[in-house]
Amino acid sequence: MLLPYFILLPLALSLPAPTPPLQNTTQVIAGITVPSTPLITKALTYARANTDDPTYNHVIRTWLNVMASVSHLPTSITQDLDLEALTIAALLHDMGWSNNSALISRSTRFEVNGADVARAFLLREGGDAWDSHRIQLVWDAIALHSTSDIYPYKQGEVTFTGLGAAEDIMGPNATAQAYGSEKVGVTQEEWERFNAAYPRLGLKTYINGVFTWLCTNKPQTTFNNFVGDWGEESVEGYERERKGKREIDVIEQFAVQ
Ligand SMILES: *[C@@H]1O[C@H](CO)[C@@H](O)[C@H](O)[C@H]1NC(C)=O
Ligand SMILES: *[C@@H]1O[C@H](CO)[C@@H](O)[C@H](O)[C@H]1NC(C)=O
Ligand SMILES: *[C@@H]1O[C@H](CO)[C@@H](O)[C@H](O)[C@H]1NC(C)=O
């Protein structure tokens, strides 16, 4: 027998509330609704304690760009996103630029360094909700965030992390032009609002300094990727070609016909 909803509804309302109580909420930052979980709060604290102001503001703005884009794009693109994983990836994506030397690895490029720091954070703080798949998703999002010819073809969490960083560095229009407009949803007006809330502090000059620092201080992690371009431009004695450090040099020396 079918009962009308006005009889069923009070029955449903009298059911006990689900337990444990939902810990997930949202908050509004610079006009953008972002997810808020206990782990996200810990990631914010961790990033703040271990990055300087330009990097911290950049990762916060990256997160805001991502969440603004997600809020404007069709649900067919955004509905399956793990927003907590996406948030952790955005917030920790530049831990390889940390001002805490204990977090800087000598042997890995800065993206892998950051991915490893994030994985250690999740293993330490994430608890049971963080299975190996979610941890790998964050690791991939961070490791690939600068590789714009791979991240668009990975899971949405990976793609949006890379695009968010690019959006913050270049603005939405240039990002859409360079990497495709399908997943760039943030508007120019929002982007400017993020800059007002979390000032850029000379981000362009700052980034040039970071890449130059990497080429000077851990050059072996830069020879075969884009960071090495800064070494060639501005580090005395960098000389990756003559040291045989490019992929072409390795193939030339070791590949078997
Ligand atoms: C990194 O810089 C931030 C901002 O200046 C500061 O709060 C933090 O203590 C620094 N961390 C380390 C490990 O030096
Ligand atoms: C909290 O939100 C995250 C991401 O949105 C989700 O993966 C997780 O299952 C949620 N946890 C609870 C207790 O609802
Ligand atoms: C960005 O692109 C939009 C749409 O093409 C255009 O209306 C706007 O003027 C552009 N903004 C900037 C800052 O280039």
Side-chain angles (χ1 to χ4, degrees):
M1 185 184 66
L2 289 172
L3 291 173
Y5 76 90
F6 53 82
I7 294 182
L8 285 173
L9 192 59
L11 284 177
L13 288 177
S14 69
L15 289 173
T19 51
L22 194 63
Q23 284 189 302
N24 288 354
T25 54
T26 58
Q27 59 174 321
V28 177
I29 302 178
I32 302 299
T33 300
V34 296
S36 174
T37 67
L39 187 69
I40 289 171
T41 304
K42 283 184 187 173
L44 283 163
T45 303
Y46 186 59
R48 179 61 289 186
N50 293 292
T51 56
D52 62 15
D53 293 348
T55 302
Y56 180 74
N57 286 7
H58 164 62
V59 301
I60 298 286
R61 292 192 311 262
T62 295
W63 180 37
L64 295 172
N65 276 280
V66 167
M67 293 310 303
S69 285
V70 166
S71 76
H72 297 316
L73 293 170
T75 52
S76 57
I77 291 178
T78 61
Q79 64 194 353
D80 293 330
L81 289 172
D82 178 340
L83 295 181
E84 191 180 42
L86 181 51
T87 294
I88 300 296
L91 292 177
L92 301 185
H93 84 268
D94 275 336
M95 293 309 285
W97 297 358
S98 176
N99 58 343
N100 179 355
S101 59
L103 297 181
I104 297 299
S105 104
R106 308 308 299 174
S107 58
T108 52
R109 57 188 282 179
F110 81 87
E111 303 92 330
V112 171
N113 190 169
D116 285 345
V117 168
R119 177 165 56 198
F121 168 84
L122 289 170
L123 289 171
R124 203 167 57 237
E125 307 283 0
D128 293 344
W130 285 83
D131 59 16
S132 58
H133 171 75
R134 293 185 82 202
I135 292 177
Q136 190 65 48
L137 199 54
V138 171
W139 195 95
D140 287 2
I142 297 177
L144 291 169
H145 81 263
S146 67
T147 311
S148 59
D149 49 355
I150 298 182
Y151 69 64
Y153 310 101
K154 290 276 292 177
Q155 295 93 334
E157 293 81 359
V158 181
T159 305
F160 277 106
T161 301
L163 286 174
E167 283 155 359
D168 184 52
I169 292 171
M170 313 194 296
N173 283 14
T175 303
Q177 213 175 337
Y179 308 131
S181 59
E182 192 199 12
K183 291 178 180 165
V184 178
V186 60
T187 68
Q188 182 71 24
E189 183 271 332
E190 288 167 332
W191 185 81
E192 283 165 16
R193 208 190 315 144
F194 306 155
N195 294 335
Y198 292 89
R200 299 183 70 76
L201 306 174
L203 187 72
K204 181 176 181 176
T205 302
Y206 177 82
I207 286 176
N208 282 325
V210 169
F211 290 150
T212 303
W213 185 90
L214 291 168
C215 290
T216 307
N217 289 279
K218 33 190 279 190
Q220 70 287 354
T221 70
T222 66
F223 288 134
N224 71 352
N225 61 69
F226 78 98
V227 177
D229 299 344
W230 273 261
E232 285 183 346
E233 284 294 320
S234 47
V235 176
E236 176 95 16
Y238 183 73
E239 296 178 335
R240 66 177 158 180
E241 290 86 349
R242 265 177 283 164
K243 288 184 175 153
K245 299 293 189 184
R246 302 168 305 175
E247 289 298 326
I248 190 175
D249 303 321
V250 175
I251 295 291
E252 198 54 43
Q253 192 181 353
F254 297 114
V256 177
Q257 193 64 276

